[in-house]
Amino acid sequence: MTAIFAKTALTPDGWRDDVRVELGGDGRIHGVDVGGTAAEAIGVAILLPAPGNLHSHAFQRAMAGLTENRGPSGTDDFWSWRELMYRFVAALTPDDVEAIAALAFVEMLEAGYASVGEFHYLHHAPGGGGYEDIGEMSARIASAAGATGLGLTLLPVFYAQGGLDGRPLEGDQLRFRNNRDSYARLLDRAEAAAAGAGADSTVGVAPHSLRAVSPGDLSAAAALRSDRPIHIHIAEQTAEVDAVEAALGARPVEWLLANADVTARWCAVHATHMNDKEVADLAASGATAGLCPITEANLGDGVFRGDDFLTAGGCFGIGSDSNVRISLVEELRLLEYSQRLTRRARAVLAAPGRSVGRTLFESACAGGAQALG
């Protein structure tokens, strides 16, 4: 048993002084004693619960800054950024991915995160050929988490098609490709890899997006691990919203809620562009909105309807996504400031009678824990 003694700690009952936290050999909290002693304990001034980072693409940490030059067309956006990202992906080896992930995970710990949801879609060798071990890349992510001590919810991504018209993947996207059978085998292998990363590790399901899987693929993926987290990119870009509506007859969040059993195990990553009904219905489903304010600003995605979503009773968590900047404080600050800019008001996301910081921090802790299982 190890103990931490904090002069001040944020507990479920608010700020308390002289708090002793007992940790078991499994790394979990076994007891919290307010008014405890400092004997044989690690001493700290202030102790906070550590949130989970619910959405990360660790390999993108190494391309930070590479996409900040304006292209010759003068119309740089998410889609031009994505083409540069694909070119970067083409060069990465398993050793590269493990080293970059270890760097990113250390920075996440330094930023105050205790765990990460790694939305991992880089499965195969350059050109799309398979490694001898279908879980080679997933194992590298798990190894990096185990080496750094960061909790891991490994989310192997199911990417089956190149667009809503069902066209096959090609080019650099072939490194992401799976069908239903190979994805099931990948999940099994990822579970074995995550088990070696430590007690604070699990595996969830991640259909990439409505454009990357068919409706049948989405249902099949959700059924593979019915008690685990399931994460999906959705409604990040207005072009995506238009394309989904044209192909499926409904807006992305609207379609998902009507065609999948969306519950508290779901994390709707971004969910930036929603109408009033989608906001209310997503909040009512119990799903977590996975917000990544730094990345959403960097890519020019748009602003999440945070005030409306929280008013409707929705919950959110925070993710570092592209890892262009790994800072929990800046994610929360940018989330609030984006609301102030669009609402032209102050303290927009604060609960009545409470501070902005406390509201955002506790919401991120709760939403991250739910989304990461």
Side-chain angles (χ1 to χ4, degrees):
M1 190 76 75
T2 300
I4 300 174
F5 179 81
K7 293 181 179 178
T8 303
L10 183 58
T11 76
D13 298 319
W15 290 105
R16 295 292 183 267
D17 295 332
D18 300 331
V19 176
R20 183 183 180 93
V21 179
E22 302 285 352
L23 305 175
D26 60 358
R28 297 184 181 278
I29 295 172
H30 280 222
V32 179
D33 182 14
V34 178
T37 68
E40 299 181 356
I42 300 167
V44 298
I46 300 173
L47 186 64
L48 297 170
N53 175 356
L54 58 64
H55 189 69
S56 163
H57 307 295
F59 77 87
Q60 292 179 15
R61 180 64 180 139
M63 58 179 281
L66 297 181
T67 61
E68 297 304 320
N69 292 326
R70 191 167 188 178
S73 68
T75 56
D76 289 274
D77 56 15
F78 169 85
W79 307 101
S80 59
W81 172 90
R82 192 178 73 159
E83 290 305 312
L84 288 168
M85 183 268 287
Y86 287 165
R87 285 164 48 194
F88 180 77
V89 161
L92 295 180
T93 68
D95 286 345
D96 293 333
V97 168
E98 183 172 354
I100 296 166
L103 169 66
F105 292 169
V106 167
E107 291 182 301
M108 290 174 196
L109 288 165
E110 292 174 336
Y113 296 110
S115 56
V116 65
E118 183 58 28
F119 198 92
H120 178 65
Y121 53 79
L122 185 55
H123 304 306
H124 306 304
Y131 292 108
E132 183 176 347
D133 176 3
I134 194 171
E136 170 71 28
M137 289 297 211
S138 291
R140 297 306 187 106
I141 296 296
S143 178
T148 59
L150 186 69
L152 174 67
T153 297
L154 182 56
L155 298 160
V157 169
F158 188 15
Y159 211 122
Q161 61 188 32
L164 286 151
D165 57 1
R167 63 183 179 272
L169 294 168
E170 58 184 14
D172 297 326
Q173 287 184 321
L174 292 172
R175 298 194 72 176
F176 315 155
R177 179 180 55 186
N178 274 290
N179 57 37
R180 295 182 197 180
D181 290 341
S182 64
Y183 184 67
R185 289 188 283 112
L186 174 61
L187 276 182
D188 289 341
R189 179 64 185 94
E191 285 193 323
D200 193 17
S201 298
T202 190
V203 169
V205 177
H208 179 274
S209 58
L210 295 182
R211 66 179 183 274
V213 296
S214 69
D217 290 336
L218 179 64
S219 297
L224 287 173
R225 297 293 188 280
S226 60
D227 60 340
R228 302 288 184 82
I230 178 166
H231 290 218
I232 186 170
H233 289 140
I234 199 153
E236 180 180 3
Q237 288 281 321
T238 54
E240 173 196 354
V241 174
D242 294 343
V244 170
E245 191 165 21
L248 299 179
R251 295 166 57 85
V253 173
E254 175 190 10
W255 188 93
L256 183 69
L257 292 169
N259 290 276
D261 182 20
V262 178
T263 64
R265 80 179 181 110
W266 283 73
C267 180
V269 181
H270 303 303
T272 307
H273 301 287
M274 296 189 288
N275 61 26
D276 292 346
K277 188 174 188 305
E278 288 173 307
V279 168
D281 290 349
L282 183 64
S285 75
T288 305
L291 309 183
C292 310
I294 291 175
T295 294
E296 289 152 4
N298 181 267
L299 297 179
D301 289 344
V303 177
F304 179 75
R305 293 181 58 178
D307 188 19
D308 296 331
F309 189 69
L310 292 186
T311 299
C315 68
F316 73 86
I318 291 294
S320 61
D321 196 355
S322 69
N323 295 302
V324 66
R325 174 85 172 104
I326 300 176
S327 172
L328 171 61
V329 171
E330 289 185 23
E331 297 281 7
L332 295 176
R333 180 181 294 120
L334 186 54
L335 174 58
E336 167 66 21
Y337 279 7
S338 67
Q339 307 301 307
R340 295 186 185 196
L341 287 167
T342 54
R343 295 280 184 169
R344 296 188 296 279
R346 299 191 70 255
V348 176
L349 298 180
R354 305 188 73 200
S355 73
V356 175
R358 179 75 171 274
T359 302
L360 292 175
F361 187 79
E362 291 189 345
S363 296
C365 283
Q370 174 175 301
L372 297 182

